[in-house]
Amino acid sequence: MKRIAVLIVLVTSTLVSMAQNKPGTWSVIPHVGVSISSLLGGSGIYEVVDNMIVEVKPHALLGFVGGADVMYQASDAVGLSAGLSFVQAGCKLEDYTDEHTTVYDRYLRINYVSMPILVHNKLLPGLKVGIEPTCLFNANNHEVQQSYEVDKEGKKSNFHEDEFTIDMKNGMRKFGLSIPVGVSYEYENVVLGALYHVGVFNI
């Protein structure tokens, strides 16, 4: 299957137990932000529709991310952090239409609990890199199917809609790993940051 890629944009407020950013000090960093994710590998996802194999291209899906980190300032230039986060990932899928059916609002939503472990370098503009083990929380595939009749003039009538949400957790990898690389900017105990994650394993 595919690997997942997630861009996380964070607005991070920093709470410090000792003097801010001095070597040997600890910080507790709650964070909240937005995730933008999609699937990598190959040209798309393939599904069977009316006994035909159809390619469905994945697109970016917005989600939520939030959690907290504990950071140790090892030196003036280098800090180490580890934390726990809830991350919404997945992808949107293209709509499908034939003569009597339209399928829309299609997305794969994958929720993870992750443990980011990062090295922060203040000499380079807020550069951070590390590893992030993940644990699958749940995964659902959603779509709305609209069927209708079409007369000889092409006019549609007798519309009927069904909404489907399918539990995909049993078909997904339960534990994963990603490589986060990002940058951040800090001003008066508020940190703005962005992290790009590429999944190491297929999902």
Side-chain angles (χ1 to χ4, degrees):
M1 206 176 172
K2 312 295 181 181
R3 290 180 298 154
I4 198 160
V6 186
L7 172 64
I8 295 177
V9 181
L10 298 173
V11 178
T12 308
S13 58
T14 305
L15 305 178
V16 184
S17 59
M18 299 177 65
Q20 176 72 25
N21 292 333
K22 289 185 178 180
T25 61
W26 293 84
S27 304
V28 178
I29 310 173
H31 58 256
V32 63
V34 176
S35 64
I36 306 169
S37 61
S38 192
L39 300 183
L40 300 176
S43 57
I45 299 172
Y46 295 90
E47 63 180 7
V48 178
V49 178
D50 295 333
N51 296 320
M52 297 185 300
I53 297 177
V54 178
E55 180 183 6
V56 183
K57 293 183 179 180
H59 299 280
L61 179 69
L62 291 177
F64 167 81
V65 59
D69 301 292
V70 175
M71 181 171 176
Y72 175 70
Q73 192 67 37
S75 69
D76 289 333
V78 177
L80 306 172
S81 70
L84 201 63
S85 297
F86 176 78
V87 179
Q88 289 186 325
C91 67
K92 292 181 67 174
L93 301 173
E94 287 184 330
D95 296 345
Y96 168 79
T97 301
D98 61 20
E99 293 181 354
H100 299 283
T101 307
T102 296
V103 184
Y104 67 96
D105 195 19
R106 311 177 71 190
Y107 59 84
L108 173 63
R109 172 72 73 191
I110 313 169
N111 295 325
Y112 292 101
V113 176
S114 66
M115 190 178 72
I117 302 170
L118 299 171
V119 177
H120 305 253
N121 189 330
K122 292 183 177 294
L123 294 181
L124 299 174
L127 178 67
K128 53 182 73 176
V129 65
I131 60 172
E132 185 165 321
T134 59
C135 178
L136 179 67
F137 184 75
N138 59 25
N140 294 292
N141 189 74
H142 176 271
E143 64 182 38
V144 178
Q145 294 183 4
Q146 182 185 77
S147 59
Y148 43 82
E149 296 179 2
V150 182
D151 61 21
K152 294 181 180 180
E153 297 177 353
K155 185 177 180 180
K156 299 177 182 179
S157 61
N158 296 329
F159 289 87
H160 177 74
E161 282 193 353
D162 292 297
E163 184 174 1
F164 298 94
T165 300
I166 301 172
D167 188 349
M168 301 288 290
K169 185 175 181 179
N170 289 336
M172 310 293 285
R173 182 184 292 272
K174 302 303 185 292
F175 297 95
L177 183 70
S178 67
I179 305 297
V181 179
V183 294
S184 63
Y185 174 75
E186 181 178 348
Y187 178 74
E188 292 187 354
N189 288 357
V190 175
V191 181
L192 304 178
L195 280 169
Y196 183 71
H197 297 66
V198 176
V200 175
F201 305 120
N202 290 339
I203 64 171

